[in-house]
Amino acid sequence: MKRKKKMTSNDRLRAIIFGLFILCCMGLFFLFPRVATPLLICYILTLILNPILLFIERYHINRNLSSAILVVIFLFATIYPVVKVTPIMVSELNNLEVYIPKVEYFLKTSYSSLQAFVEARSGYRLSNEYLLQTLNFVKDEISAFVLVLPKFLGTTLELFFIVPLFLFFTLRDMRTFREKVTRLLPNKYFEKLYHLSFQFNRRIGDYILAKVIEASILGIIIFAGLFFMDIRFSLIFGILAAVTNIIPYLGPLFGSVPALIFIAAEYGMGTDFGGVLILYLVANAIDIAIVFPLLVSKIVNLHPVVVVGSVILGSQMIGITGMIISIPLAAAIKLLIDQVLKDVYEEGY
């Protein structure tokens, strides 16, 4: 059995400095969000793009030029679709305003029919407050979104200028920065933490990339299906399905219900509604049965019970945001626990 080395006073000092550095970084993140937000975005993008960067470097291209090439590719891949899609999105959003009263009328008449059915069967009459509260909540949320939209667009425009600049430096210097930060630790922990940070970055980067691919596949299936069925606002509903897919378990519900309500209000409960319902069921079945197991679950390597439990805990603590970050956070904690157990028992788990 190996004899453990005692921590020297120098090691304690370095551990304190490392802890203070982490606390300062966390404090700066909350105090200066306009700088911290693009840095966080660039960190995530660096995790995703790092394998491509390493591939480019195999052709004996230095890191500066490799990072610049990758930033240019990223800008083209981001700006070109935005330029093409934005006019269509603006047109569809303007047309969507015309159909909101129709949807509201459909919900009211459907709720009245439900009231009559329940009252005829049970003698109990549902209160109108349930519907009114729901409609008022939706209207308030839409109004709040419209009010913050100019600020959101301004922030997005600012990010379009800042993120590429920061991304170049994070791609170029992330490896050096990680080495310097880990060297703040005592020597006995340096190698372990460096290896752990490498594993964490690779796993989280792969997870985020897999979720992006998964959401894109689902969004494309929904958009293509609605488009070929000649359903209005197919692009909006496709993007909505892709964006809400990042929310575990509740994502398919958030992505499909608005589309199904609109289609029922516009086209009735006939073949169009049935076709769209089948489309959403098939698309989500493909996602859950094929895409998610192949792309996501193998990367995080978590037991299904742990995944469900982490999502529930995340939703209870910080709502939808907690649900989104719960799985990668659980994967990070598992990595840490595995390392601790390995150190304690001196064997892999």
Side-chain angles (χ1 to χ4, degrees):
M1 186 173 180
K2 293 182 180 180
R3 190 176 180 181
K4 292 184 178 180
K5 296 180 180 180
K6 292 183 179 180
M7 184 177 285
T8 64
S9 58
N10 183 55
D11 288 339
R12 294 191 189 95
L13 179 61
R14 294 178 70 173
I16 292 171
I17 292 173
F18 179 79
L20 291 174
F21 174 78
I22 298 298
L23 290 174
C24 288
C25 289
M26 294 174 64
L28 291 173
F29 182 84
F30 291 103
L31 290 173
F32 304 102
R34 289 184 66 180
V35 177
T37 300
L39 281 174
L40 180 61
I41 292 172
C42 290
Y43 170 71
I44 294 172
L45 290 173
T46 300
L47 296 182
I48 296 173
L49 298 175
N50 190 60
I52 304 175
L53 182 67
L54 296 176
F55 176 78
I56 296 174
E57 287 183 325
R58 289 179 185 174
Y59 293 92
H60 306 291
I61 301 174
N62 64 57
R63 182 157 282 250
N64 283 332
L65 184 56
S66 299
S67 301
I69 291 171
L70 202 51
V71 170
V72 172
I73 295 173
F74 169 75
L75 283 173
F76 178 78
T78 304
I79 294 175
Y80 182 78
V82 169
V83 170
K84 289 294 184 180
V85 169
T86 299
I88 303 173
M89 283 289 295
V90 171
S91 176
E92 289 199 352
L93 287 172
N94 289 333
N95 293 330
L96 189 61
E97 294 179 359
V98 179
Y99 292 91
I100 291 177
K102 183 181 291 188
V103 172
E104 186 175 350
Y105 174 76
F106 167 78
L107 290 174
K108 288 180 177 178
T109 53
S110 298
Y111 191 75
S112 297
S113 301
L114 178 63
Q115 280 181 318
F117 176 79
V118 172
E119 188 174 10
R121 291 299 180 92
S122 64
Y124 174 77
R125 182 169 179 80
L126 296 173
S127 174
N128 290 324
E129 292 183 3
Y130 301 125
L131 178 63
L132 293 175
Q133 288 175 358
T134 302
L135 292 176
N136 289 334
F137 173 78
V138 173
K139 289 179 181 178
D140 291 342
E141 290 298 316
I142 293 174
S143 300
F145 175 75
V146 171
L147 289 175
V148 301
L149 186 59
K151 183 179 178 180
F152 173 77
L153 293 175
T155 303
T156 304
L157 185 63
E158 182 180 291
L159 290 175
F160 263 110
F161 288 100
I162 296 176
V163 166
L165 177 64
F166 284 5
L167 182 60
F168 170 77
F169 291 107
T170 54
L171 285 169
R172 189 190 70 175
D173 302 325
M174 179 61 76
R175 183 189 302 166
T176 305
F177 177 75
R178 186 171 67 245
E179 290 177 357
K180 288 183 177 180
V181 171
T182 50
R183 286 191 184 277
L184 293 174
L185 275 174
N187 292 330
K188 62 182 296 187
Y189 298 123
F190 169 75
E191 186 177 345
K192 292 177 182 178
L193 182 65
Y194 188 83
H195 175 73
L196 195 62
S197 66
F198 175 78
Q199 293 292 328
F200 171 77
N201 288 338
R202 188 181 69 176
R203 186 166 295 186
I204 297 304
D206 290 346
Y207 172 78
I208 295 171
L209 178 60
K211 285 299 294 181
V212 170
I213 295 173
E214 179 195 8
S216 301
I217 291 173
L218 181 66
I220 290 170
I221 293 174
I222 296 297
F223 164 70
L226 294 177
F227 180 80
F228 286 113
M229 292 172 65
D230 198 24
I231 301 295
R232 292 187 183 92
F233 312 120
S234 57
L235 180 60
I236 290 178
F237 292 137
I239 293 175
L240 180 64
V243 171
T244 55
N245 181 258
I246 66 174
I247 305 173
Y249 304 112
L250 294 180
L253 186 65
F254 292 155
S256 59
V257 168
L260 292 172
I261 290 175
F262 167 79
I263 290 158
E266 176 66 12
Y267 301 99
M269 302 292 288
T271 55
D272 288 323
F273 179 84
V276 172
L277 179 61
I278 292 172
L279 171 66
Y280 273 95
L281 291 175
V282 170
N284 284 289
I286 293 172
D287 176 52
I288 294 171
I290 300 174
V291 179
F292 184 83
L294 291 178
L295 285 178
V296 181
S297 62
K298 288 186 178 180
I299 292 173
V300 294
N301 191 25
L302 294 173
H303 192 277
V305 174
V306 177
V307 173
V308 175
S310 63
V311 171
I312 293 173
L313 288 174
S315 65
Q316 287 183 342
M317 295 176 68
I318 48 176
I320 291 178
T321 303
M323 297 176 69
I324 295 171
I325 67 173
S326 59
I327 296 178
L329 186 60
I333 294 172
K334 181 179 182 294
L335 274 175
L336 184 60
I337 293 174
D338 286 346
Q339 184 63 48
V340 171
L341 292 175
K342 182 179 180 181
D343 291 342
V344 171
Y345 293 99
E346 297 183 351
E347 62 179 321
Y349 274 76

